[in-house]
Amino acid sequence: MPRPSKPPSGAGLFPADAAPAPKAASHRANIDGGSRGNPGPASYGVVIRDAKGEIVAKLKKYIGRTTNNVAEYYGLIAALDYAQSHSIKALQIESDSELLVKQMRGQYKVKSEDLRPLFERAKKMSATFEHFAINHVYREQNKDADALANEAMDESAGKPAAAPVAPAPAAAKPISSAAASAAAGEGKTASAVKPAAKPDTSGIPRKVRARYRSGILYPLEDLDLEDGIEVEIYLRATPKKERL
């Protein structure tokens, strides 16, 4: 019986063209959203790690009064926006929200009118990556993102109402010891001059920079607004040379 011929040197079990093309290294984003009251004061937290597992970004933001599920979607969109703006090609999302994960996977329908536009925006953004995956994890595995979301709510709750700085009142003239003694002899009490009250500037417009991406307008600075307040927005595209 003739012996089978040996394969040429360097040949493997499979043809060379069957080897899969290498995938881009994947970043991982842990996201979380929370609401105290549901609906109530809400925020999100995001922790993004590179392919080596090192943290490259921590995102957190208070988003006003809304529900847990809306806050979860805001966290997802924030992670997607960060990845897009930093040219990340492959992204893996980890969330402890079973609803969000199964909706993004197409396992659950999106029935909420509040969630539908956020879901559609997130799906559109996720389709821009070479590789995208979203997985459910337990809360213990998502504690870093949860902590950021709670920090954002705590900072908002403890922050005093902001007001424009009023011009400093004129300094009170120092009272000499002789004048103070004379005032005491006449039964008068020497007192400091009361500072002028800050003017009401609630109706004065102010300029705020923002960035528009994938259907969302992101303010680039803290707005310091009360929950439920209505504002008027006048849009003007910033010239390229003035952009941050």
Side-chain angles (χ1 to χ4, degrees), residues 12-156:
L13 296 177
F14 303 99
D17 57 0
K23 294 182 179 180
S26 179
H27 282 63
R28 186 174 87 246
N30 287 82
I31 66 172
D32 190 60
S35 172
R36 293 174 181 169
N38 200 29
S43 63
Y44 66 77
V46 178
V47 179
I48 299 179
R49 293 177 172 86
D50 61 15
K52 298 179 181 179
E54 298 180 357
I55 295 177
V56 295
K58 291 184 178 182
L59 314 174
K60 61 181 178 179
K61 189 172 183 63
Y62 174 73
I63 58 175
R65 184 179 179 84
T66 188
T67 65
N68 283 328
N69 292 331
V70 169
E72 295 279 4
Y73 267 100
Y74 267 84
L76 171 59
I77 291 171
L80 294 170
D81 178 72
Y82 177 90
Q84 284 184 340
S85 62
H86 288 77
S87 301
I88 293 173
K89 303 299 183 183
L91 182 65
Q92 177 180 338
I93 299 290
E94 292 185 351
S95 168
D96 58 22
S97 170
E98 184 178 0
L99 176 73
L100 179 143
V101 171
K102 290 194 173 182
Q103 285 179 339
M104 288 294 294
R105 286 181 170 183
Q107 295 171 288
Y108 284 175
K109 292 183 179 180
V110 183
K111 299 179 181 180
S112 169
E113 294 295 334
D114 293 333
L115 297 184
R116 187 171 292 113
L118 298 173
F119 164 78
E120 292 173 354
R121 191 169 298 131
K123 287 292 289 184
K124 181 179 178 180
M125 295 175 73
S126 66
T128 64
F129 296 94
E130 293 180 4
H131 173 74
F132 175 80
I134 183 166
N135 298 308
H136 179 262
V137 295
Y138 292 108
R139 183 168 296 180
E140 294 75 17
Q141 299 170 277
N142 212 37
K143 59 183 180 180
D144 291 341
D146 177 75
L148 285 174
N150 280 290
E151 282 178 15
M153 279 187 279
D154 291 340
E155 290 169 1
S156 176

Side-chain angles (χ1 to χ4, degrees), residues 175-190:
I175 301 175
S176 64
S177 57
S181 300
E186 296 177 5
K188 298 179 181 179
T189 303

